[in-house]
Amino acid sequence: MGDSSSESDQFLKEFHIPSYILVGDSEVETSSHFPACPVIVFINSKSGGQLGGDLLVTYRSLLNEHQVFDLGEEGPDKVLRKLYARIEKLKLSGDGFAAVIEKKLRLIVAGGDGTAGWLLGVVCDLKLPQPPPIATVPLGTGNNLPFSFGWGKKNPGTDSQSVKSFLDQVMKAKEMKIDSWHILMRMRAPKEGTCDPIAPLELPHSLHAVHRVSPTDSLNMEGYHTFRGGFWNYFSMGMDAQISYAFHSERKLHPEKFKNQLINQSTYAKLGCTQGWFCASLFHPASHNIAQLAKVKIMKRQGHWEDLHIPHSIRSIVCLNLPSFSGGLNPWGTPDKKKKRDRDLTPPYVDDGLLEVVGFRDAWHGLALLAPKGHGTRLAQAHRIRFEFHKGVIDHTYMRIDGEPWKQPLPLDDDTILVEISHLGQVKMLATHDCRSKSVHDPSTPTSYHGEEEDGNDEDSGEELEEQRKFGAADTFRIPDEVDITHLV
């Protein structure tokens, strides 16, 4: 028993950061052991029901409690600013230990996709000389970010052994760069009312980071409300965002009902039925279809905008950076050699400066993703994409960034409302060695594809997809077992 405890203590030393590095005015400690993988841990204690709180307790019991932070109490920007200021001060005083911590530091974030995106945004904004790579613990409902990099999508165990196992994976993980994306929303200030999101939900954290641009920002225009921020996985608009909004609104109003991941996913699926996502042609007005809602332009090469044709049946559009959407599905799939040649389509790399733009008609169309090699309607790949909303279409729309939805009012004045997405830069993630994300710079990643990869599910296929339900289900497209589909209408 003693040997086992000693081995555990030795293992945890590889992640430990002494208090004097973390807390100002602490007495400097001397140590002959340099940790192989020092970590700072951020946990959203409100994620995953009780799991976030339990995970916080376990990490603090295993590591220095000063290196584990509850995001409900302190934001990551404040934590990292203080930490790097402290490290810099120690380095200037000749502290070699602090320099090692800075070089080897890795971050862990436990929460939903919105929480993970928040931390990625902060690291990106701080422009650190040696930005640390980030590992994500799946504590949300969709968990697309963790799943994309091999960390799974099920809520983890919160006991000591589970946490030690995760820390071991963090130590062995490889670094992978991924694209980050800038999003700008600009709309004329209405004469009456507001352009702020409609309660009970607010803007996502990734837009909160900068909210409205300052008067001195070059993006600011007098007489307009301008929001900007960033994302790492996806921006979506339409019915999928509407269902997500209904779920998150209900959870915010009644948090006590959402303490179990399976219950959350079942509730999500039921909302998909009640909101008409499975019978969109009956419940979703044609005026809400993407082609009626906005004019869409894309930029495939620098400085050249072109109109993007959106089929009139498309009710949701997803601009995707990672190969995981709606709980682990890959809407883009793998274009075969013919698609690559005729339409200039490539596999979905996470660091190629391109967004994959995919459309869905309804949830039945989305069920194609549950089949092997299934995909949505591949619309384009682009370095930039622009949505232009015009007068009198609708008074609001639903949008979603990395799992966080909001209901955005649109001015009714004679004016164009602009949403533009462009490539921003790159951030470093930690990935397990069997992660599904692929780098365009990885020599082991195939650059040419053969016909066997394509499933023949062409863009406007009208095949009946009910049979695909047997392959499983993801949040947006799942039909609960207790729902009789013959009564959905």
Side-chain angles (χ1 to χ4, degrees):
M1 182 70 72
D3 289 344
S4 176
S5 175
S6 176
E7 288 178 8
S8 176
D9 290 344
Q10 191 63 39
F11 170 75
L12 291 173
K13 281 183 179 180
E14 304 301 337
F15 306 92
H16 185 268
I17 300 176
S19 293
Y20 87 92
I21 298 283
L22 303 162
V23 182
D25 300 324
S26 296
E27 184 178 347
V28 175
E29 306 169 29
T30 57
S31 174
S32 59
H33 179 76
F34 291 92
C37 185
V39 296
I40 294 293
V41 184
F42 295 98
I43 298 174
N44 186 342
S45 60
K46 296 181 180 179
S47 289
Q50 185 63 37
L51 294 180
D54 293 345
L55 204 58
L56 188 70
V57 172
T58 303
Y59 269 100
R60 283 179 171 169
S61 70
L62 296 176
L63 303 174
N64 184 338
E65 64 176 359
H66 295 299
Q67 69 188 99
V68 182
F69 297 88
D70 182 353
L71 289 172
E73 297 178 355
E74 196 167 11
D77 49 343
K78 184 178 179 181
V79 170
L80 292 176
R81 281 195 184 97
K82 287 195 298 185
L83 172 64
Y84 277 86
R86 176 72 175 158
I87 287 176
E88 194 61 30
K89 181 179 179 181
L90 290 168
K91 284 166 55 183
L92 290 173
S93 69
D95 191 313
F97 194 92
V100 171
I101 295 295
E102 181 183 37
K103 182 179 180 180
K104 295 185 176 182
L105 184 65
R106 296 188 164 194
L107 304 183
I108 297 173
V109 57
D113 285 332
T115 301
W118 183 18
L119 179 60
L120 265 67
V122 167
V123 171
C124 187
D125 287 347
L126 289 178
K127 294 180 171 51
L128 302 168
Q130 298 185 65
I134 300 165
T136 51
V137 182
L139 275 188
T141 302
N143 298 321
N144 294 293
L145 271 165
F147 188 62
S148 294
F149 295 96
W151 302 106
K153 58 182 177 179
K154 292 185 178 179
N155 293 160
T158 60
D159 59 283
S160 295
Q161 194 55 48
S162 296
V163 169
K164 290 176 185 177
S165 176
F166 189 88
L167 286 171
D168 185 54
Q169 290 185 72
V170 170
M171 183 186 292
K172 296 174 181 176
K174 61 181 180 180
E175 292 186 18
M176 177 181 286
K177 287 187 177 181
I178 65 167
D179 294 321
S180 62
W181 296 88
H182 178 266
I183 180 168
L184 176 143
M185 297 196 305
R186 177 179 289 137
M187 54 199 73
R188 186 180 293 277
K191 296 174 182 176
E192 297 181 3
T194 177
C195 283
D196 290 334
I198 299 171
L201 300 185
E202 300 174 338
L203 283 174
H205 283 114
S206 52
L207 283 173
H208 275 168
V210 285
H211 205 167
R212 289 193 176 90
V213 301
S214 69
T216 57
D217 195 304
S218 61
L219 294 173
N220 190 62
M221 290 178 62
E222 188 173 350
Y224 285 80
H225 287 327
T226 305
F227 302 81
R228 67 183 181 95
F231 69 92
W232 289 264
N233 189 5
Y234 66 87
F235 166 84
S236 71
M237 180 176 65
M239 275 213 77
D240 76 288
Q242 181 178 339
I243 306 307
S244 179
Y245 177 84
F247 171 82
H248 283 78
S249 297
E250 185 70 15
R251 184 169 64 177
K252 182 166 185 177
L253 294 172
H254 304 286
E256 70 281 359
K257 298 179 181 179
F258 296 84
K259 294 187 176 182
N260 179 281
Q261 188 181 36
L262 291 177
I263 292 175
N264 291 356
Q265 291 173 338
S266 178
T267 302
Y268 202 118
K270 290 176 185 176
L271 287 169
C273 294
T274 59
Q275 295 280 327
W277 187 211
F278 282 91
C279 302
S281 59
L282 296 177
F283 296 106
H284 198 253
S287 62
H288 290 210
N289 292 358
I290 301 300
Q292 301 291 344
L293 183 63
K295 183 176 182 180
V296 185
K297 295 183 177 182
I298 59 172
M299 184 181 291
K300 290 185 177 181
R301 62 180 188 273
Q302 191 63 34
H304 180 71
W305 287 102
E306 58 185 85
D307 292 336
L308 177 64
H309 170 68
I310 308 290
H312 286 280
S313 59
I314 297 298
R315 295 178 173 86
S316 277
I317 191 167
V318 182
C319 303
L320 191 69
N321 185 40
L322 305 179
S324 182
F325 172 75
S326 190
L329 303 177
N330 182 3
W332 189 252
T334 305
D336 65 7
K337 190 174 181 180
K338 183 175 183 295
K339 290 287 194 303
K340 180 175 171 59
R341 181 187 68 239
D342 296 346
R343 297 188 58 200
D344 194 27
L345 302 180
T346 71
Y349 300 117
V350 299
D351 55 356
D352 59 357
L354 291 172
L355 281 173
E356 282 69 47
V357 186
V358 187
F360 293 101
R361 297 187 294 274
D362 51 27
W364 296 109
H365 187 194
L367 287 174
L369 303 183
L370 305 177
K373 303 173 187 174
H375 59 84
T377 297
R378 297 184 185 119
L379 298 171
Q381 287 174 300
H383 296 287
R384 303 180 76 166
I385 182 167
R386 176 187 294 167
F387 298 88
E388 297 177 355
F389 303 87
H390 298 282
K391 174 188 176 183
V393 180
I394 54 175
D395 61 2
H396 68 269
T397 189
Y398 295 90
M399 299 178 182
R400 181 163 60 147
I401 292 179
D402 287 355
E404 292 192 277
W406 74 99
K407 183 179 181 181
Q408 181 63 49
L410 301 175
L412 299 179
D413 303 1
D414 188 8
D415 190 41
T416 297
I417 299 94
L418 176 73
V419 174
E420 186 171 315
I421 299 168
S422 56
H423 187 261
L424 177 63
Q426 293 186 326
V427 292
K428 290 193 291 187
M429 297 294 292
L430 287 171
T432 64
H433 290 277
D434 58 350
C435 79
R436 64 186 302 171
S437 293
K438 301 298 180 184
S439 167
V440 72
H441 303 294
D442 186 349
S444 67
T445 299
T447 55
S448 61
Y449 287 79
H450 306 287
E452 70 268 18
E453 294 292 335
E454 181 65 33
D455 67 335
N457 177 24
D458 214 349
E459 276 63 38
D460 287 318
S461 170
E463 295 178 3
E464 177 56 57
L465 298 171
E466 179 181 350
E467 180 64 16
Q468 314 302 351
R469 286 185 296 143
K470 68 184 181 183
F471 292 108
D475 304 333
T476 302
F477 305 117
R478 184 170 187 256
I479 303 178
D481 295 335
E482 65 271 22
V483 173
D484 183 354
I485 63 172
T486 62
H487 292 94
L488 285 178
V489 176

